[in-house]
Amino acid sequence: MFLTLEGGDAAGKTTQAVALERWLVERGRTVVRTREPGGTELGAEIRNLLLHGGHVAPRAEALLYAADRAHHVATVVRPALERGDVVVQDRYLDSSVAYQGAGRVLDPEEVRGLSTWATEGLLPDLTILLDVDPVEARARRGGRAAEDRLEAEQDDFHARVRAAFLALAAASPERFVVVDGARPAEVVAADVRAAVEPRLER
Ligand SMILES: Nc1ncnc2c1ncn2[C@@H]1O[C@H](COP(=O)(O)OP(=O)(O)O)[C@@H](O)[C@H]1O
Ligand SMILES: [Mg+2]
């Protein structure tokens, strides 16, 4: 079973992935908890280039994310699924599509096509979208209220990312469950488990 967690920065993806892994292990499952970008050695190098390198041209950036994804799916995710493990993954192709949709540079459907090619069409069995207001998410990161133009622009960008994720969820209701991530972490975790449990039993 392939589970992905999506949502903006500080939506609680890592917090929920850790809690979900613990719960699955208690239920006797073998879990591979991983993330993109950076879930492999090559991926860690790509992640470093993407997050800490200088300017990367948009198409080069999209190809680097796709290269990370291709290698991660081929060497970590597919082998785990073939063993019968549960893969709990922080971010996958929906992040690429949502962020491109919000950034308005590349066509998000072209970026989806790139990911589909990179992964030979591997889609999650279930995607949990942790939906959090970007202003709340910024408070979690220790940010101040929007005071200057740059922060206001960033809030606007994160609002577009949120809307893009919600649109992806609405377009694929059989794959997505949207969880209100603004509540306490234990309450969110209970909703995440409720979404996963019926799919485990199948
Ligand atoms: N439901 C929640 N309510 C309040 N704070 C949270 C919640 N979930 C996570 N946090 C806190 O918000 C910050 C970002 O959470 P994290 O799980 O790292 O998010 P992400 O992986 O989506 O960036 C952390 O400091 C975490 O402790
Ligand atoms: Mg995280």
Side-chain angles (χ1 to χ4, degrees), residues 16-42:
Q16 294 304 323
V18 169
L20 182 59
E21 176 186 29
R22 190 177 310 130
W23 179 75
L24 287 164
V25 168
E26 277 167 13
R27 297 186 47 131
R29 300 295 173 130
T30 303
V31 176
V32 173
R33 182 163 62 83
T34 186
R35 70 167 185 191
E36 285 183 7
T40 61
E41 236 174 81
L42 173 67

Short mmCIF file of all heavy atoms in Angstrom, two decimals, residues 16-42:
data_model
loop_
_atom_site.label_atom_id
_atom_site.label_comp_id
_atom_site.label_asym_id
_atom_site.label_seq_id
_atom_site.Cartn_x
_atom_site.Cartn_y
_atom_site.Cartn_z
N GLN A 16 2.50 13.90 11.09
CA GLN A 16 1.49 12.87 10.84
C GLN A 16 2.11 11.60 10.27
O GLN A 16 1.64 10.49 10.55
CB GLN A 16 0.40 13.41 9.91
CG GLN A 16 -0.44 14.52 10.53
CD GLN A 16 -1.07 14.11 11.86
OE1 GLN A 16 -1.50 12.97 12.05
NE2 GLN A 16 -1.13 15.04 12.80
N ALA A 17 3.16 11.73 9.48
CA ALA A 17 3.83 10.55 8.92
C ALA A 17 4.43 9.71 10.06
O ALA A 17 4.33 8.48 10.06
CB ALA A 17 4.91 10.95 7.92
N VAL A 18 5.03 10.38 11.03
CA VAL A 18 5.64 9.68 12.17
C VAL A 18 4.55 8.96 12.97
O VAL A 18 4.69 7.79 13.33
CB VAL A 18 6.43 10.68 13.06
CG1 VAL A 18 6.83 10.05 14.38
CG2 VAL A 18 7.66 11.20 12.31
N ALA A 19 3.45 9.66 13.24
CA ALA A 19 2.35 9.06 14.03
C ALA A 19 1.73 7.88 13.29
O ALA A 19 1.43 6.83 13.87
CB ALA A 19 1.29 10.12 14.33
N LEU A 20 1.57 8.03 11.98
CA LEU A 20 0.95 6.97 11.18
C LEU A 20 1.86 5.74 11.13
O LEU A 20 1.39 4.60 11.25
CB LEU A 20 0.66 7.50 9.77
CG LEU A 20 -0.03 6.54 8.81
CD1 LEU A 20 -1.38 6.09 9.36
CD2 LEU A 20 -0.21 7.22 7.44
N GLU A 21 3.15 5.99 10.98
CA GLU A 21 4.11 4.87 10.96
C GLU A 21 4.01 4.09 12.28
O GLU A 21 3.93 2.86 12.28
CB GLU A 21 5.53 5.38 10.77
CG GLU A 21 6.56 4.25 10.83
CD GLU A 21 8.00 4.75 10.78
OE1 GLU A 21 8.27 5.88 11.23
OE2 GLU A 21 8.84 3.99 10.29
N ARG A 22 3.99 4.82 13.40
CA ARG A 22 3.94 4.15 14.72
C ARG A 22 2.68 3.29 14.81
O ARG A 22 2.72 2.14 15.25
CB ARG A 22 3.96 5.22 15.81
CG ARG A 22 4.17 4.65 17.21
CD ARG A 22 4.24 5.75 18.27
NE ARG A 22 5.18 6.81 17.94
CZ ARG A 22 4.91 8.11 17.97
NH1 ARG A 22 3.70 8.54 18.30
NH2 ARG A 22 5.82 8.99 17.67
N TRP A 23 1.56 3.83 14.38
CA TRP A 23 0.29 3.10 14.46
C TRP A 23 0.30 1.86 13.57
O TRP A 23 -0.14 0.78 13.97
CB TRP A 23 -0.85 4.06 14.08
CG TRP A 23 -2.20 3.44 14.09
CD1 TRP A 23 -2.96 3.11 15.19
CD2 TRP A 23 -2.99 3.08 12.94
NE1 TRP A 23 -4.16 2.58 14.79
CE2 TRP A 23 -4.20 2.55 13.43
CE3 TRP A 23 -2.78 3.17 11.56
CZ2 TRP A 23 -5.21 2.11 12.56
CZ3 TRP A 23 -3.78 2.74 10.71
CH2 TRP A 23 -4.98 2.21 11.21
N LEU A 24 0.84 2.00 12.37
CA LEU A 24 0.89 0.85 11.44
C LEU A 24 1.80 -0.24 11.99
O LEU A 24 1.48 -1.43 11.89
CB LEU A 24 1.38 1.31 10.06
CG LEU A 24 0.37 2.12 9.25
CD1 LEU A 24 1.07 2.84 8.10
CD2 LEU A 24 -0.75 1.23 8.72
N VAL A 25 2.93 0.15 12.58
CA VAL A 25 3.87 -0.84 13.14
C VAL A 25 3.20 -1.57 14.30
O VAL A 25 3.31 -2.80 14.41
CB VAL A 25 5.19 -0.16 13.55
CG1 VAL A 25 6.05 -1.10 14.40
CG2 VAL A 25 5.97 0.28 12.30
N GLU A 26 2.46 -0.82 15.13
CA GLU A 26 1.72 -1.47 16.22
C GLU A 26 0.73 -2.50 15.68
O GLU A 26 0.42 -3.48 16.35
CB GLU A 26 0.93 -0.43 17.04
CG GLU A 26 1.78 0.27 18.08
CD GLU A 26 1.07 1.50 18.65
OE1 GLU A 26 -0.15 1.67 18.43
OE2 GLU A 26 1.77 2.31 19.31
N ARG A 27 0.22 -2.26 14.50
CA ARG A 27 -0.71 -3.21 13.88
C ARG A 27 0.00 -4.30 13.09
O ARG A 27 -0.63 -5.03 12.33
CB ARG A 27 -1.70 -2.46 12.99
CG ARG A 27 -2.55 -1.50 13.81
CD ARG A 27 -3.62 -0.86 12.98
NE ARG A 27 -4.31 -1.85 12.17
CZ ARG A 27 -5.62 -1.98 12.09
NH1 ARG A 27 -6.40 -1.18 12.78
NH2 ARG A 27 -6.15 -2.87 11.31
N GLY A 28 1.30 -4.38 13.24
CA GLY A 28 2.04 -5.50 12.66
C GLY A 28 2.50 -5.29 11.23
O GLY A 28 2.99 -6.22 10.59
N ARG A 29 2.39 -4.06 10.73
CA ARG A 29 2.83 -3.80 9.35
C ARG A 29 4.30 -3.43 9.31
O ARG A 29 4.82 -2.83 10.26
CB ARG A 29 2.02 -2.64 8.74
CG ARG A 29 0.54 -2.89 8.68
CD ARG A 29 0.27 -4.04 7.74
NE ARG A 29 -1.14 -4.41 7.79
CZ ARG A 29 -1.89 -4.55 6.71
NH1 ARG A 29 -1.38 -4.36 5.51
NH2 ARG A 29 -3.15 -4.90 6.82
N THR A 30 4.94 -3.75 8.21
CA THR A 30 6.29 -3.25 7.96
C THR A 30 6.13 -1.96 7.15
O THR A 30 5.45 -1.95 6.13
CB THR A 30 7.11 -4.29 7.18
OG1 THR A 30 7.12 -5.49 7.94
CG2 THR A 30 8.53 -3.81 6.97
N VAL A 31 6.75 -0.91 7.66
CA VAL A 31 6.54 0.42 7.08
C VAL A 31 7.85 0.98 6.56
O VAL A 31 8.89 0.88 7.22
CB VAL A 31 5.95 1.38 8.14
CG1 VAL A 31 5.82 2.80 7.58
CG2 VAL A 31 4.60 0.87 8.63
N VAL A 32 7.80 1.55 5.37
CA VAL A 32 8.92 2.36 4.88
C VAL A 32 8.42 3.80 4.88
O VAL A 32 7.49 4.14 4.15
CB VAL A 32 9.34 1.93 3.45
CG1 VAL A 32 10.37 2.89 2.88
CG2 VAL A 32 9.88 0.50 3.47
N ARG A 33 9.01 4.63 5.76
CA ARG A 33 8.64 6.04 5.79
C ARG A 33 9.72 6.81 5.04
O ARG A 33 10.90 6.68 5.33
CB ARG A 33 8.53 6.54 7.22
CG ARG A 33 8.11 8.00 7.30
CD ARG A 33 7.60 8.39 8.68
NE ARG A 33 8.59 8.25 9.71
CZ ARG A 33 9.52 9.16 9.99
NH1 ARG A 33 9.58 10.29 9.29
NH2 ARG A 33 10.40 8.96 10.93
N THR A 34 9.28 7.58 4.05
CA THR A 34 10.25 8.23 3.17
C THR A 34 9.70 9.57 2.70
O THR A 34 8.59 9.96 3.09
CB THR A 34 10.60 7.26 2.00
OG1 THR A 34 11.64 7.82 1.21
CG2 THR A 34 9.39 6.99 1.12
N ARG A 35 10.49 10.27 1.90
CA ARG A 35 10.06 11.60 1.48
C ARG A 35 10.65 11.96 0.12
O ARG A 35 11.65 11.38 -0.32
CB ARG A 35 10.51 12.65 2.49
CG ARG A 35 12.02 12.85 2.46
CD ARG A 35 12.43 14.08 3.23
NE ARG A 35 13.86 14.31 3.10
CZ ARG A 35 14.51 15.19 3.83
NH1 ARG A 35 13.88 15.91 4.73
NH2 ARG A 35 15.80 15.37 3.65
N GLU A 36 10.00 12.94 -0.51
CA GLU A 36 10.56 13.55 -1.71
C GLU A 36 10.52 15.07 -1.53
O GLU A 36 9.55 15.59 -0.99
CB GLU A 36 9.74 13.17 -2.95
CG GLU A 36 10.00 11.73 -3.38
CD GLU A 36 9.25 11.38 -4.65
OE1 GLU A 36 8.64 12.26 -5.28
OE2 GLU A 36 9.27 10.19 -5.02
N PRO A 37 11.52 15.80 -1.98
CA PRO A 37 12.73 15.23 -2.56
C PRO A 37 13.65 14.71 -1.46
O PRO A 37 13.53 15.11 -0.31
CB PRO A 37 13.36 16.44 -3.27
CG PRO A 37 12.90 17.62 -2.48
CD PRO A 37 11.52 17.28 -1.99
N GLY A 38 14.54 13.77 -1.83
CA GLY A 38 15.62 13.42 -0.94
C GLY A 38 15.55 12.07 -0.27
O GLY A 38 16.30 11.81 0.66
N GLY A 39 14.69 11.16 -0.73
CA GLY A 39 14.56 9.86 -0.08
C GLY A 39 15.63 8.82 -0.42
O GLY A 39 15.56 7.68 0.04
N THR A 40 16.61 9.20 -1.24
CA THR A 40 17.73 8.30 -1.59
C THR A 40 19.02 9.11 -1.48
O THR A 40 18.98 10.33 -1.30
CB THR A 40 17.61 7.81 -3.05
OG1 THR A 40 17.65 8.96 -3.92
CG2 THR A 40 16.32 7.04 -3.29
N GLU A 41 20.16 8.41 -1.63
CA GLU A 41 21.44 9.14 -1.59
C GLU A 41 21.53 10.15 -2.73
O GLU A 41 21.89 11.31 -2.53
CB GLU A 41 22.59 8.14 -1.70
CG GLU A 41 23.58 8.22 -0.55
CD GLU A 41 24.61 7.11 -0.65
OE1 GLU A 41 25.57 7.28 -1.42
OE2 GLU A 41 24.42 6.07 0.03
N LEU A 42 21.18 9.69 -3.94
CA LEU A 42 21.16 10.61 -5.08
C LEU A 42 20.17 11.74 -4.81
O LEU A 42 20.44 12.91 -5.08
CB LEU A 42 20.78 9.86 -6.36
CG LEU A 42 20.55 10.73 -7.60
CD1 LEU A 42 21.85 11.39 -8.07
CD2 LEU A 42 19.95 9.91 -8.74
#
